[in-house]
């Protein structure tokens, strides 16, 4: 088992033990005091413990080497584990909310004694320690990051319960049910955020901009590479990323020379980022003055939008011009940009223009 995975498993195991101890202590205090908010907080810790068991196994599975059936490794087990964490937290939040509403409708006299106060205070301290532990040892592990945020949420929730207990003890106001609802809302919001983020990862999302720029800059640092586009980075876990990119070369370069440069690019990207990159070579026809003029005209249109164009081609037989444009933002005015590009081309070459838009 690699060091990164061993670190995550040990950290999660420590969190598992602490969550069990906190859950038992809070549950005992909640039953003795007849407090719905304290009992709800205890159930939150017990659910965390159950989820931790799942995440420990999932993290260990994520470290398995690639095999015949899974050539890209098993790194996405981490994302599945994070999803399980979120789903478990959401289920607890819904149950706590339901219990809080019932307690508001039918209030129960609560006895907040010294034992309850000490238990809640100690729980806040332990959860704060766990959050710091998870954050400092996360090192790119999404499961540990999710557990860290969960600990922060738990500490905040327990603080709310403690404040409500103090207020009720000294004012007599029966706010136990309301405190339980507040706990539930915090838990649900946190869980939904975890689930949304994890689902986005599993669906496939835009890579981190800093990583994207680093890969692009490495490719462009090689001589003879005119430009690069269509950089796709597929995420198969924090430690495994597969990428592809289209690099443009002068059309008069020999196949052997282009291949040598592509090999050099792939090695450099792997050594500097750990990403396994495959480079596709696109020839640039510098001898066609019409293409040069079209590239210049299209670039003038796109520059103001922060967009770029590539793969511009002219088919005289079909009287067709085709090109791809990359829009940097999801809210870029696609229709407006496309219309201006077509107009700039047809002004000098009255052909049909097909514009393919991508956000890669």
């Amino acid at each position: 088992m690699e060091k990164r995975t061993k670190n995550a498993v040990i950290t999660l195991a420590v969190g598992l033990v602490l969550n069990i101890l906190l859950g038992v202590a809070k549950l005992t205090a909640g039953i003795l005091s007849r407090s719905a908010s304290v009992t709800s907080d205890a159930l939150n810790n017990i659910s965390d413990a159950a989820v931790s068991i799942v995440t420990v196994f999932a993290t260990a599975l994520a470290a398995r080497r690639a095999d015949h059936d899974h050539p890209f490794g098993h790194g996405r087990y981490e994302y599945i584990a994070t999803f399980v964490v979120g789903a478990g937290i959401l289920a607890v939040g819904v149950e706590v909310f339901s219990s809080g509403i019932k307690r508001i409708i039918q209030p129960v006299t609560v006895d907040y004694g010294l034992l309850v106060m000490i238990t809640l205070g100690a729980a806040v301290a332990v959860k704060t320690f766990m959050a710091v532990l998870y954050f400092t040892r996360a090192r790119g592990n999404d499961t540990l990051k999710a557990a860290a945020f969960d600990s922060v949420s738990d500490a905040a929730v327990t603080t709310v319960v403690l404040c409500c207990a103090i207020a009720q003890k000294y004012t007599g106001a029966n706010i136990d049910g309301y405190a339980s609802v507040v706990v539930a809302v915090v838990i649900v919001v946190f869980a939904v955020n975890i689930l949304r983020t994890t689902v986005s990862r599993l669906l496939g999302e835009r890579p981190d901009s800093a990583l994207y720029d680093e890969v692009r800059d490495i490719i462009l640092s090689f001589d003879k590479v005119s430009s690069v586009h269509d950089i796709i980075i597929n995420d198969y876990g924090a430690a495994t990323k597969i990428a592809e990119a289209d690099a443009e070369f002068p059309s008069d370069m020999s196949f052997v020379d282009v291949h040598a440069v592509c090999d050099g690019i792939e090695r450099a990207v792997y050594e500097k980022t750990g990403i396994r990159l495959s480079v596709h070579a696109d020839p640039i026809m510098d001898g066609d003055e019409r293409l040069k003029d079209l590239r210049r005209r299209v670039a003038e249109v796109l520059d103001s939008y922060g967009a770029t164009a590539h793969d511009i081609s002219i088919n005289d037989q079909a009287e067709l011009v085709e090109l791809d444009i990359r829009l940097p933002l999801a809210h870029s005015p696609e229709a407006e940009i496309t219309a201006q590009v077509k107009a700039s081309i047809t002004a000098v070459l009255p052909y049909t223009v097909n514009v393919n838009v991508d956000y890669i």
Side-chain angles (χ1 to χ4, degrees):
M1 185 181 296
E2 64 177 23
K3 184 177 179 180
R4 174 180 176 275
T5 303
K6 185 181 294 184
N7 169 71
V9 170
I10 292 174
T11 304
L12 289 169
V14 171
L16 169 61
V17 173
L18 291 176
N19 274 321
I20 291 174
L21 294 176
L22 284 177
V24 172
K26 287 182 185 178
L27 186 60
T28 301
I31 293 173
L32 292 177
S33 65
R34 304 179 69 192
S35 169
S37 58
V38 175
T39 302
S40 298
D41 202 15
L43 291 176
N44 185 25
N45 285 130
I46 292 173
S47 71
D48 285 347
V51 169
S52 292
I53 295 174
V54 176
T55 56
V56 166
F57 282 106
T59 302
L61 288 172
R64 293 170 59 188
R65 294 179 178 274
D67 54 38
H68 183 269
D69 293 326
H70 305 91
F72 303 118
H74 300 77
R76 284 183 176 174
Y77 270 121
E78 286 186 13
Y79 301 154
I80 296 173
T82 305
F83 184 87
V84 171
V85 171
I89 296 171
L90 180 62
V92 171
V94 172
E95 177 59 31
V96 169
F97 184 84
S98 176
S99 299
I101 295 297
K102 291 177 182 177
R103 185 58 65 92
I104 291 173
I105 297 173
Q106 297 180 329
V108 175
T109 301
V110 180
D111 179 21
Y112 287 116
L114 182 61
L115 174 62
V116 175
M117 300 298 183
I118 293 176
T119 300
L120 293 176
V124 173
V126 172
K127 274 297 182 179
T128 301
F129 164 76
M130 290 173 64
V132 173
L133 177 67
Y134 287 140
F135 271 125
T136 55
R137 297 172 71 91
R139 297 177 185 176
N141 186 297
D142 284 344
T143 304
L144 286 182
K145 287 181 181 178
F149 284 114
D150 184 36
S151 294
V152 171
S153 174
D154 286 349
V157 164
T158 303
T159 300
V160 171
V161 174
L162 178 58
C163 291
C164 289
I166 294 173
Q168 185 164 334
K169 182 176 179 63
Y170 293 103
T171 66
N174 196 331
I175 57 176
D176 183 58
Y178 296 97
S180 187
V181 169
V182 170
V183 171
V185 171
V186 173
I187 291 172
V188 169
V189 170
F190 175 68
V192 169
N193 185 57
I194 289 178
L195 292 173
R196 179 183 57 80
T197 302
T198 307
V199 168
S200 179
R201 280 284 184 86
L202 291 172
L203 287 175
E205 60 186 5
R206 180 178 293 277
D208 176 70
S209 58
L211 181 61
Y212 180 96
D213 291 343
E214 183 178 6
V215 172
R216 182 198 61 199
D217 291 343
I218 292 172
I219 297 173
L220 291 175
S221 69
F222 280 75
D223 291 337
K224 300 299 183 179
V225 176
S226 303
S227 65
V228 61
H229 56 87
D230 286 354
I231 299 176
I232 301 173
I233 302 177
N234 296 307
D235 189 339
Y236 290 93
T240 307
K241 289 181 171 58
I242 312 295
E244 58 183 89
D246 287 7
E248 296 183 339
F249 295 86
S251 59
D252 59 357
M253 280 185 68
S254 71
F255 177 82
V256 173
D257 290 340
V258 171
H259 182 266
V261 175
C262 289
D263 275 353
I265 292 172
E266 291 167 359
R267 283 194 300 271
V269 169
Y270 184 77
E271 291 170 358
K272 295 178 181 179
T273 68
I275 295 175
R276 292 166 54 189
L277 174 69
S278 177
V279 180
H280 171 75
D282 283 348
I284 296 296
M285 307 297 292
D286 290 327
D288 191 328
E289 293 299 326
R290 294 181 305 168
L291 276 176
K292 287 184 179 180
D293 185 42
L294 292 186
R295 290 195 196 101
R296 179 185 59 78
R297 289 174 173 274
V298 171
E300 290 175 354
V301 172
L302 298 180
D303 280 348
S304 60
Y305 296 99
T308 57
H310 55 87
D311 290 338
I312 301 178
S313 64
I314 301 174
N315 186 331
D316 290 311
Q317 184 175 355
E319 295 189 341
L320 175 68
V321 175
E322 291 188 289
L323 71 154
D324 293 349
I325 60 174
R326 177 180 179 270
L327 304 182
L329 302 173
H331 57 269
S332 297
E334 181 178 323
E336 176 183 328
I337 294 173
T338 301
Q340 290 192 32
V341 167
K342 289 183 176 180
S344 69
I345 293 174
T346 55
V348 294
L349 190 62
Y351 284 0
T352 300
V353 180
N354 286 343
V355 178
N356 303 308
V357 179
D358 66 59
Y359 288 87
I360 297 173

